[in-house]
Amino acid sequence: MGHEMAISNIRYGEGVTKEIGMDLQNLGARRVCLMTDRNLSQLPPVKAVLNSLAKYGINFQMYDKVRVEPTDQSFLDAIAFAKKGEFDAYVAVGGGSVIDTCKAANLYASSPMSDFLDYVNAPIGKGKPVTVPLKPLIAVPTTAGTGSETTGVAIFDFKKLKVKTGIASRAIKPILGIIDPLHALSMPERIVANSGFDVLCHALESYTALPYKMRSPCPSNPISRPAYQGSNPISDVWALHALRIVAKYLKRAIRNPEDREARASMHLASAFAGIGFGNAGVHLCHGMSYPISGLVKTYKPKDYNVDHSLVPHGLSVVLTSPAVFAFTAQVHPERHLEAAGILGADVRTARIKDAGFILADTLRKFLFDLNVDDGLAAIGYSKADIPELVKGTLPQERVTKLSPRPQTEEDLSALFEASMKLY
């Protein structure tokens, strides 16, 4: 019975992006794959990386066709590019979509005989352990959200099943995350909000996840120890710290693009929460978010500048949070109450049995203040969709089994129903 701490190296500071050319030189990289998306390819974060690559004479090819909220098809397109390029290092500049796509490209280009489903999480894929060596990947996050620069997880929409799933293995973790707070200044308002909600849920879910000692059976071999191991004392520190930063800075970062302190703090909180959930895991908000994203109909969020409907990951996660934490609080009410207190609730006279209700209320007020869509109904869902949403949550056992409170299909239906309208 143990847990293990796995994270990427993190370098933090204004302007540290200019060192990336040197890093690649130190790695002896001869052919570098630079991945980003079409919107970012014109923005300062990518320009800063390109300048550094030019300055140190790094030979690279750029792939800017990453899809925001990737699909199996968009992963396969990037994988084909990576196989053809025979790269010896990768650089991902972008949000979670870019970093995750780059992890997948590196994995399958390094394991060219593998079938795509070999490494995809069970029960959708085979969930095989990764035993091949990968090339070094350096991640340069441009959103204050996913924490993908610190984790061994890559998420995508599996189109024909209309559900999000992913690949989880320590082997795909970046060797370095370059957190340059200057990049957080390029984010439009709703991207700050939605990626910030992902940080919020990473922190809340990993802090309330089933404790690692209660998980069983213990893996017979460390190679099969899952990335997500349940709440544990090391992750707790990171999760609580991230939560405090969210409470203090998220509203400021959203409301004022010039607030460098707030945006820089959220950028760092994203990595902190990534270190927490990357080892503890997430549970129901994330498990339920995957079908909310996967079954999207016509919703197009403000500020995203994309040509397809999508529910941004952070939004899909946070909309169920009031219902989820009201449900899970039975198990560790004191942790739920502590979280509510950090997020601004007055808990001095609160009764422990009201913890779930208080945290749910605090979250609703938080979301209302930030103009978040009023529940799943506001992004195009109705009661008639609930069976489909539940069906899409069931295969997410890698995360749902980390919920401190086990849930039946009826429980999941009730949680989706309670999330249709928030205010």
Side-chain angles (χ1 to χ4, degrees), residues 91-212:
V91 173
V93 187
S97 298
V98 172
I99 299 172
D100 286 7
T101 301
C102 197
K103 290 173 181 174
N106 184 9
L107 171 62
Y108 290 96
S110 305
S111 187
M113 303 315 290
S114 295
D115 180 56
F116 182 64
L117 284 175
D118 282 354
Y119 296 122
V120 173
N121 297 328
I124 289 166
K126 297 190 183 133
K128 289 186 175 167
V130 178
T131 52
V132 294
L134 270 61
K135 303 290 187 254
L137 187 167
I138 298 177
V140 186
T142 58
T143 62
T146 62
S148 183
E149 67 278 6
T150 73
T151 72
V153 177
I155 300 291
F156 65 92
D157 269 302
F158 197 44
K159 270 311 209 206
K160 67 169 189 283
L161 292 180
K162 291 195 167 173
V163 69
K164 260 191 160 47
T165 181
I167 299 161
S169 164
R170 292 189 175 80
I172 64 174
K173 217 164 34 57
I175 58 160
L176 174 64
I178 292 184
I179 301 176
D180 186 336
L182 294 177
H183 300 337
L185 302 173
S186 304
M187 279 187 290
E189 190 251 15
R190 273 299 101 180
I191 293 182
V192 178
N194 291 328
S195 59
F197 298 146
D198 200 20
V199 180
L200 170 67
C201 289
H202 285 157
L204 286 171
E205 287 173 75
S206 63
Y207 191 56
T208 56
L210 187 72
Y212 80 99

Side-chain angles (χ1 to χ4, degrees), residues 37-40 68-69 97 143 187-197 299-316:
D37 68 40
R38 293 248 163 80
N39 289 326
L40 276 160
V68 177
E69 301 300 337
S97 298
T143 62
M187 279 187 290
E189 190 251 15
R190 273 299 101 180
I191 293 182
V192 178
N194 291 328
S195 59
F197 298 146
Y299 184 77
K300 282 208 176 132
K302 190 165 134 311
D303 290 347
Y304 277 72
N305 189 19
V306 284
D307 54 8
H308 54 278
S309 320
L310 71 109
V311 183
H313 172 66
L315 181 63
S316 69

Side-chain angles (χ1 to χ4, degrees), residues 153-345:
V153 177
I155 300 291
F156 65 92
D157 269 302
F158 197 44
K159 270 311 209 206
K160 67 169 189 283
L161 292 180
K162 291 195 167 173
V163 69
K164 260 191 160 47
T165 181
I167 299 161
S169 164
R170 292 189 175 80
I172 64 174
K173 217 164 34 57
I175 58 160
L176 174 64
I178 292 184
I179 301 176
D180 186 336
L182 294 177
H183 300 337
L185 302 173
S186 304
M187 279 187 290
E189 190 251 15
R190 273 299 101 180
I191 293 182
V192 178
N194 291 328
S195 59
F197 298 146
D198 200 20
V199 180
L200 170 67
C201 289
H202 285 157
L204 286 171
E205 287 173 75
S206 63
Y207 191 56
T208 56
L210 187 72
Y212 80 99
K213 288 188 174 134
M214 289 170 68
R215 300 203 41 200
S216 61
C218 183
S220 52
N221 181 319
I223 192 169
S224 21
R225 176 166 278 144
Y228 290 176
Q229 304 165 70
S231 62
N232 62 76
I234 305 179
S235 291
D236 290 347
V237 175
W238 293 97
L240 282 178
H241 191 58
L243 199 55
R244 290 194 179 97
I245 299 177
V246 169
K248 184 171 175 188
Y249 291 112
L250 179 57
K251 286 181 185 174
R252 279 174 49 183
I254 292 169
R255 289 176 179 153
N256 178 8
E258 304 298 299
D259 189 335
R260 291 171 87 116
E261 183 194 1
R263 289 211 163 183
S265 299
M266 281 304 301
H267 210 33
L268 202 49
S270 171
F272 288 172
I275 295 166
F277 92 85
N279 292 280
V282 285
H283 55 80
L284 291 176
C285 300
H286 272 74
M288 293 168 66
S289 80
Y290 297 138
I292 293 171
S293 299
L295 294 163
V296 62
K297 297 167 187 170
T298 55
Y299 184 77
K300 282 208 176 132
K302 190 165 134 311
D303 290 347
Y304 277 72
N305 189 19
V306 284
D307 54 8
H308 54 278
S309 320
L310 71 109
V311 183
H313 172 66
L315 181 63
S316 69
V317 167
V318 86
L319 289 175
T320 61
S321 65
V324 163
F325 294 111
F327 173 80
T328 55
Q330 280 192 2
V331 184
H332 281 290
E334 65 294 339
R335 287 193 167 214
H336 289 69
L337 204 55
E338 185 182 2
I342 292 172
L343 292 172

